[in-house]
C-alpha cells in the first residue's frame, strides 16, 4: 500500500511559476500547507533522467532531502506524434535561449516555432497529433516515493493563440474540447479539469486521499 500524505506541510518541488499556480490550485481542497521550492531557496537538481518518471523522482527526492519534508514534483512535456514523440522530456530544453541571444532564460515562442518549423518541413498535410504528459512524484525524506502518470491528447495549431496558461499552451488544442480553443484560450478551471496534470492529479487524489 502506498504511504499517505498525512496533512501538514508539502513542498511543491518546482521552479516553474505556471506549474506552481496549477498544482497549488489542484491541492487547495486537501488541507495541506504548500511551500514552494523557490520560496524555500531549494536548488534545482540537474534533470538527468530519460523519462518523465525518472526526472519527477529526481526533483521530488532532492526537495525532500533538502527540506526534510514530503515533496511533490511534476515532470511534464509535449510529445508530437510526427516528431517521434519529441520534444518529450526535453520540452523545457527546447525553449532554452543560447547565451548569445540575450539573457539566459526560456523563450516559449521560439520553442513553439521550432516544433512548428519541424512539422512544416514534413509537409503541409502532416499529422498534427500531440499529447501533453505529466508525472507527479511524491517523495518522503526517508526515501519512500509514489508516482502518478497523466496524459492529455490533442493537436497542434499555428499561429499561437491565447494569453492564459504557460509554456506551449497557445499551440495546443485538447481533443476533449473537440473545437478550436487552445489551452491558452480556455478558462483555467476548465484546463484543471481536462489537462495531463489533472489526469495525473486525479490518480494521486484517489491513491492519497481516497477512501
Ligand atoms: P520544474 O522542473 O522546476 O518543475 P520546468 O519548467 O523545468 O520546471 P519540466 O522540466 O517538467 O519543468 O519541463 C516541462 C515543460 O513542458 C515546461 O517547462 C512547459 O513548458 C511544458 N509544459 C508542461 N506542462 C505544460 C502545460 O500544462 N502547458 C504548457 N506547457 C507545459
Amino acid at each position: 500500500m502506498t504511504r499517505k500524505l498525512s496533512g501538514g506541510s508539502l513542498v511543491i518541488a518546482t521552479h516553474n511559476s505556471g506549474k506552481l499556480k496549477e498544482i497549488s490550485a489542484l491541492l487547495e481542497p486537501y488541507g495541506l500547507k504548500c511551500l514552494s521550492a523557490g520560496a524555500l531557496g531549494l536548488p534545482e537538481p540537474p534533470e538527468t533522467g530519460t523519462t518523465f518518471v525518472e526526472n519527477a523522482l529526481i526533483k521530488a527526492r532532492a526537495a525532500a532531502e533538502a527540506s526534510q519534508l514530503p515533496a511533490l514534483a511534476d515532470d511534464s512535456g509535449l510529445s508530437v506524434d510526427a516528431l517521434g514523440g519529441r520534444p518529450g522530456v526535453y520540452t523545457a530544453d527546447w525553449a532554452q535561449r543560447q547565451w548569445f541571444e540575450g539573457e539566459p532564460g526560456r523563450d516559449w515562442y521560439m520553442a513553439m516555432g521550432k516544433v512548428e518549423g519541424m512539422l512544416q518541413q514534413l509537409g503541409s498535410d502532416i499529422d498534427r497529433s500531440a499529447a501533453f504528459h505529466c508525472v507527479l512524484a511524491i517523495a518522503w525524506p526517508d526515501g519512500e516515493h509514489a508516482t502518478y502518470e497523466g496524459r492529455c491528447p490533442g493537436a497542434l495549431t499555428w499561429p499561437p493563440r491565447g494569453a492564459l496558461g504557460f509554456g506551449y499552451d497557445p499551440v495546443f488544442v485538447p481533443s476533449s474540447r473537440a473545437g478550436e480553443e487552445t489551452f491558452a484560450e480556455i478558462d483555467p478551471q476548465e484546463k484543471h479539469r481536462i489537462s495531463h496534470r489533472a489526469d495525473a492529479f486525479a490518480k494521486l487524489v484517489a491513491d492519497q486521499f481516497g477512501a
Side-chain angles (χ1 to χ4, degrees), residues 17-197:
S17 59
K19 281 188 189 178
L20 180 62
K21 210 166 143 190
E22 290 191 6
I23 294 169
S24 305
L26 287 164
L27 278 171
E28 212 182 304
Y30 299 99
L32 294 159
K33 181 167 185 258
C34 295
L35 309 163
S36 79
L40 293 174
L42 303 183
E44 277 187 75
E47 295 180 32
T48 50
T50 55
T51 64
F52 294 117
V53 171
E54 283 172 10
N55 282 337
L57 281 171
I58 287 172
K59 292 185 274 193
R61 283 176 170 147
E65 233 166 73
S67 66
Q68 287 301 302
L69 290 168
L72 170 67
D74 165 314
D75 200 63
S76 42
L78 180 71
S79 293
V80 182
D81 292 9
L83 302 182
R86 287 182 294 163
V89 290
Y90 304 106
T91 298
D93 297 343
W94 282 30
Q96 207 59 47
R97 275 196 297 261
Q98 300 300 313
W99 64 271
F100 51 82
E101 289 175 322
E103 291 295 306
R106 290 171 175 175
D107 180 338
W108 296 110
Y109 196 85
M110 176 192 81
M112 292 185 285
K114 183 170 175 177
V115 170
E116 180 61 22
M118 291 173 84
L119 272 185
Q120 286 184 11
Q121 271 185 1
L122 294 172
S124 56
D125 58 350
I126 194 73
D127 175 14
R128 302 183 68 85
S129 303
F132 267 125
H133 294 266
C134 173
V135 171
L136 294 173
I138 303 175
W140 282 265
D142 62 9
E144 209 168 325
H145 64 268
T147 58
Y148 308 93
E149 300 194 41
R151 184 174 176 274
C152 178
L156 296 179
T157 187
W158 193 259
R161 294 194 315 267
L164 302 170
F166 66 99
Y168 291 70
D169 280 344
V171 289
F172 186 78
V173 178
S175 332
S176 62
R177 295 292 286 183
E180 286 295 306
E181 285 169 306
T182 68
F183 259 172
E185 291 176 311
I186 65 177
D187 187 87
Q189 294 301 327
E190 173 68 358
K191 183 180 173 194
H192 291 168
R193 218 174 50 73
I194 62 175
S195 78
H196 48 307
R197 192 159 292 106

